[in-house]
Amino acid sequence: MHISEGVLNNTIITAGWAVSTSLAAYALYKLKNKDMPKIAMLSSLFFIGSFIHIPVGPTSVHLLFNGLIGAIGGLNSFLAIMIALFFQALLYGFGGIGVLGVNTFIMAFPAVVVWYFLRPKLHKNTNLVSFIGGFLPVLLSVILLCAVLLINSTKLEYAIYMIVLFNLPLMFIEGFISVFTLRFILKYKPDFL
């Protein structure tokens, strides 16, 4: 779901940097030493999950795990995803440094918002809440991605249909992965969430 370099105009790139950097800086300000290993683990989860990607128009389709990252990391998801995206851009050219702010916002913001509302309900109906918590952040990330591409240029409309179509199975896959992962965490290490 990375947007490639050279696709977005400077206004969108600047706005993405401003918002993502502000939220990441706030998360860094609130960061506790004991959360650093968790952020490193979440960054590596995102890095590896999105490593295998299929190019689709100006973006790509890959596992995000942003629902799991949001459930475990909360606001620190901005740090974890930004770090992983930075290293992917630097080492492998996925996305790019210029669009790092926009890509971070597209993937981290839905995870943080969804889990802000779902976390209190997790113990009442674990399976349903976990599935929604894996499915919905990917759906919202796709919606944000499509909105950014439409705001940027109407010439990219052709790609939006493909992006939505290719990401639909991914939403369900991430929902089911979230169910099994969060059930495991709640059973063996509930204080991790």
Side-chain angles (χ1 to χ4, degrees), residues 75-116:
L75 185 60
N76 290 333
S77 301
F78 269 94
L79 290 172
I81 291 175
M82 186 175 260
I83 291 166
L85 287 172
F86 173 76
F87 282 112
Q88 284 182 342
L90 192 66
L91 298 172
Y92 301 107
F94 297 168
I97 301 296
V99 290
L100 180 64
V102 175
N103 284 334
T104 300
F105 183 78
I106 287 171
M107 294 181 230
F109 184 74
V112 172
V113 169
V114 166
W115 279 101
Y116 176 78

Side-chain angles (χ1 to χ4, degrees), residues 36-54:
M36 285 180 162
K38 189 184 289 187
I39 292 172
M41 182 207 59
L42 295 174
S43 289
S44 63
L45 173 68
F46 183 87
F47 186 92
I48 297 299
S50 60
F51 194 76
I52 301 170
H53 66 283
I54 302 165

Side-chain angles (χ1 to χ4, degrees), residues 111-125:
V112 172
V113 169
V114 166
W115 279 101
Y116 176 78
F117 291 107
L118 288 182
R119 186 165 289 140
K121 300 171 182 70
L122 185 59
H123 293 285
K124 294 177 186 166
N125 192 347

